[in-house]
Amino acid sequence: MNSLSSEFSSLLSNALTSLGYERLFNIAFVFTVETGFIPTTLAEHFDSTNSNIELAKMVNNVPLNSFWHKNNNIFNAELVMSNQLCHLTGVPNDDLLIITLSYSNVSKCTYFEIDRSIFSINTEHVFHLSLKYKNLVSVPIKCAILEITVGQYPGLCGIPEELISYIITKLNNTSDLYALMRCCKKLYHSVISNQFLWKTLVVEKYKKEKLSTDLIQQPIMDWRTVYYEVNRIKSGRRTIEIIRE
């Protein structure tokens, strides 16, 4: 187990010492901190260059229930991400605790069940609960905040078009290109419309295969079509023209 997982395992162990709704809220709080959110009481002491390991150690030094308060049976905690204030709330509902993480006018929620509460840090349920919470709640809120504060986050689509085009031209085989095209519509259109990329692939294939240059002597409008035609010629496949009456 690496040091990061060890520190947060220790935090989760502390969360499991509580009972009922408090246990579930403590678990959600730990998952939120693990995503990178900082309790407001620690924000002044936590340097942005510090790691999550150091943050976990700081949280571990005090009882978890000191980071939140309870009012009318509703749990509340305040955390920050990129200096933006966020609210983590837990509302009991029968055997469920409905957990919401909100920032400005954006909020995400999920629920934890008491009857499926975690009794051991080693259970597989911990992993699935963490994955569920981060996918549905903490990571979407983190992305919403960072998209506003530091630009679109995370991913290739968040960088300028010129850089995307440059990166695409560095992919040296079509299997990589096809994988990239399947990521999203934006990258699909970035690939198929990059004439320089397809021209480069055609020229390299001609040099490598020592093919006849007759095909590229004429004016070319779509190098991607030429690339597919070169592959057809190389493989020996014939083009069949179908005439419909």
Side-chain angles (χ1 to χ4, degrees):
M1 180 180 292
N2 59 43
S3 55
L4 178 59
S5 60
S6 175
E7 290 297 335
F8 281 102
S9 291
S10 178
L11 275 180
L12 277 174
S13 295
N14 290 340
L16 296 182
T17 60
S18 52
L19 299 173
Y21 296 125
E22 182 175 332
R23 168 185 284 189
L24 298 183
F25 189 76
N26 278 337
I27 292 171
F29 178 82
V30 171
F31 289 160
T32 306
V33 171
E34 190 176 11
T35 310
F37 291 81
I38 305 169
T40 52
T41 53
L42 297 180
E44 293 183 1
H45 310 287
F46 185 78
D47 193 319
S48 59
T49 60
N50 290 346
S51 67
N52 274 13
I53 298 175
E54 292 167 309
L55 176 59
K57 288 179 179 178
M58 293 172 70
V59 174
N60 230 348
N61 286 332
V62 293
L64 283 176
N65 59 12
S66 67
F67 293 108
W68 51 264
H69 64 275
K70 187 177 178 182
N71 186 22
N72 294 327
N73 209 32
I74 296 176
F75 299 85
N76 291 278
E78 292 185 343
L79 306 100
V80 294
M81 165 69 68
S82 291
N83 296 320
Q84 304 300 308
L85 181 63
C86 304
H87 297 274
L88 180 68
T89 60
V91 180
N93 184 9
D94 294 330
D95 291 334
L96 306 176
L97 182 68
I98 301 173
I99 300 161
T100 304
L101 182 62
S102 58
Y103 153 72
S104 185
N105 61 343
V106 181
S107 63
K108 298 292 181 180
C109 70
T110 186
Y111 62 87
F112 290 168
E113 302 176 55
I114 286 184
D115 60 351
R116 296 189 63 195
S117 186
I118 305 168
F119 295 97
S120 169
I121 196 64
N122 296 318
T123 61
E124 185 180 352
H125 185 44
V126 174
F127 172 77
H128 291 297
L129 200 63
S130 172
L131 196 63
K132 169 188 174 182
Y133 180 80
K134 290 170 185 173
N135 284 342
L136 296 179
V137 179
S138 59
V139 171
I141 294 296
K142 178 178 181 178
C143 290
I145 293 172
L146 295 183
E147 184 173 353
I148 294 172
T149 57
V150 296
Q152 191 173 23
Y153 171 88
L156 186 60
C157 291
I159 64 177
E161 292 284 351
E162 294 83 358
L163 289 179
I164 294 177
S165 178
Y166 177 78
I167 292 171
I168 289 174
T169 59
K170 295 301 179 181
L171 299 178
N172 56 11
N173 62 69
T174 50
S175 61
D176 290 338
L177 288 173
Y178 294 148
L180 187 65
M181 291 165 68
R182 290 193 294 269
C183 290
C184 65
K185 288 183 179 180
K186 180 176 181 179
L187 291 178
Y188 172 81
H189 289 295
S190 294
V191 172
I192 66 172
S193 62
N194 193 319
Q195 290 297 309
F196 177 77
L197 165 69
W198 295 105
K199 180 179 180 179
T200 301
L201 290 174
V202 169
V203 172
E204 288 180 353
K205 185 169 285 290
Y206 267 90
K207 290 180 179 178
K208 182 179 179 180
E209 306 294 340
K210 297 181 180 179
L211 300 173
S212 170
T213 59
D214 293 343
L215 187 62
I216 59 174
Q217 294 300 321
Q218 51 191 315
I220 294 173
M221 299 297 294
D222 187 356
W223 283 96
R224 188 169 70 99
T225 301
V226 174
Y227 178 80
Y228 291 135
E229 180 66 13
V230 169
N231 281 340
R232 184 191 65 77
I233 294 173
K234 179 177 177 294
S235 65
R237 295 193 302 269
R238 293 183 300 172
T239 301
I240 300 176
E241 183 178 355
I242 300 177
I243 301 176
R244 300 182 184 276
E245 295 182 356

